[in-house]
Amino acid sequence: GAVVSQHPSRVICKSGTSVKIECRSLDFQATTMFWYRQFPKQSLMLMATSNEGSKATYEQGVEKDKFLINHASLTLSTLTVTSAHPEDSSFYICSALGGTQETQYFGPGTRLLVL
Amino acid sequence: QKEVEQDPGPLSVPEGAIVSLNCTYSNSAFQYFMWYRQYSRKGPELLMYTYSSGNKEDGRFTAQVDKSSKYISLFIRDSQPSDSATYLCAMSAESGGSNYKLTFGKGTLLTVNP
């Protein structure tokens, strides 16, 4: 139980384009999901907290107009990187709060490369 | 001082060894403590979840929490090459709700050599 999926697993795009990443809780409902970014050999950095049916809460230093988050249902949250630049290249990981233990279950991550 | 400190390693041990991984923290409000395992280019996988002080055992893994010292540990017995991964400690003050947030250590890279 407590499986979280992400799609796509890997994406390469040109600078200036937008990329959407989906995060789904497959076997439980998640009112709260989280988006993280992880650079090589670094820990996870929380970008934003996404609550179903309301606006996301962004961490300090994260541009909400650049990283658009939508949590339209109890099993789906999306992160859209708008006007992507090479410095946005990173490993983006989502997590969902829930399951039998009220903690975060992580997706497999999406590797974004912006050329 | 960072909220959570974790030695990034790398830590290299022979197969069958007992591995000890540790984190210290400064926020006395933390009550929930987790260990995640992250293989290269994958998302973190929850290994252990404990509340407050004490020990918890699950197979070859034992988690210990000492709130008085603000110190948590993960022990791996009879380590296997498949245990080679980055181990992240994480903690929170809440178990859910609007203030819930996980604070992570930097992770310790473990290699178990056959």
Side-chain angles (χ1 to χ4, degrees):
Chain A
V3 179
V4 177
S5 70
Q6 269 183 254
H7 179 79
S9 59
R10 188 174 207 167
V11 58
I12 302 173
C13 68
K14 292 182 179 180
S15 185
T17 59
S18 294
V19 174
K20 181 186 280 189
I21 303 170
E22 291 186 349
C23 176
R24 293 182 185 273
S25 56
L26 298 184
D27 52 1
F28 66 102
Q29 293 184 330
T31 55
T32 304
M33 291 184 171
F34 303 85
W35 286 96
Y36 294 84
R37 184 164 51 182
Q38 186 177 36
F39 292 105
K41 299 187 179 182
Q42 299 291 317
S43 190
L44 287 78
M45 290 180 56
L46 180 65
M47 298 175 67
T49 302
S50 166
N51 290 295
E52 188 263 340
S54 64
K55 289 184 179 180
T57 303
Y58 290 82
E59 294 300 298
Q60 193 172 11
V62 178
E63 300 174 57
K64 61 180 181 182
D65 294 329
K66 181 170 182 62
F67 298 98
L68 300 179
I69 292 173
N70 184 277
H71 192 161
S73 78
L74 289 172
T75 58
L76 174 65
S77 176
T78 60
L79 168 69
T80 301
V81 183
T82 62
S83 187
H85 290 283
E87 58 265 30
D88 298 324
S89 299
S90 189
F91 193 46
Y92 290 85
I93 309 175
C94 73
S95 70
L97 181 63
T100 54
Q101 295 176 123
E102 192 71 3
T103 187
Q104 292 184 33
Y105 295 89
F106 285 84
T110 296
R111 190 158 300 279
L112 171 64
L113 177 61
V114 184
L115 302 175
Chain B
Q1 181 189 11
K2 292 188 177 179
E3 275 198 298
V4 179
E5 299 273 6
Q6 183 176 9
D7 186 343
L11 180 62
S12 182
V13 302
E15 184 175 355
I18 297 174
V19 177
S20 173
L21 303 166
N22 312 293
C23 288
T24 59
Y25 62 95
S26 58
N27 187 347
S28 58
F30 288 145
Q31 298 189 76
Y32 302 89
F33 304 91
M34 286 133 276
W35 285 95
Y36 287 87
R37 177 174 62 195
Q38 186 177 22
Y39 291 112
S40 181
R41 298 173 181 261
K42 301 290 184 183
E45 169 195 2
L46 180 65
L47 274 181
M48 300 290 281
Y49 176 89
T50 53
Y51 168 68
S52 195
S53 286
N55 294 358
K56 184 174 183 179
E57 188 174 320
D58 184 1
R60 295 184 296 112
F61 299 91
T62 300
Q64 287 186 352
V65 175
D66 182 349
K67 289 189 69 180
S68 62
S69 302
K70 297 190 178 68
Y71 187 87
I72 69 170
S73 301
L74 177 70
F75 297 96
I76 307 174
R77 290 185 299 280
D78 187 24
S79 56
Q80 304 294 310
S82 58
D83 295 329
S84 299
T86 296
Y87 290 80
L88 297 150
C89 64
M91 44 200 82
S92 66
E94 311 280 342
S95 68
S98 59
N99 293 322
Y100 175 80
K101 186 183 291 189
L102 274 184
T103 303
F104 284 89
K106 280 198 166 185
T108 300
L109 177 61
L110 171 68
T111 301
V112 181
N113 301 300

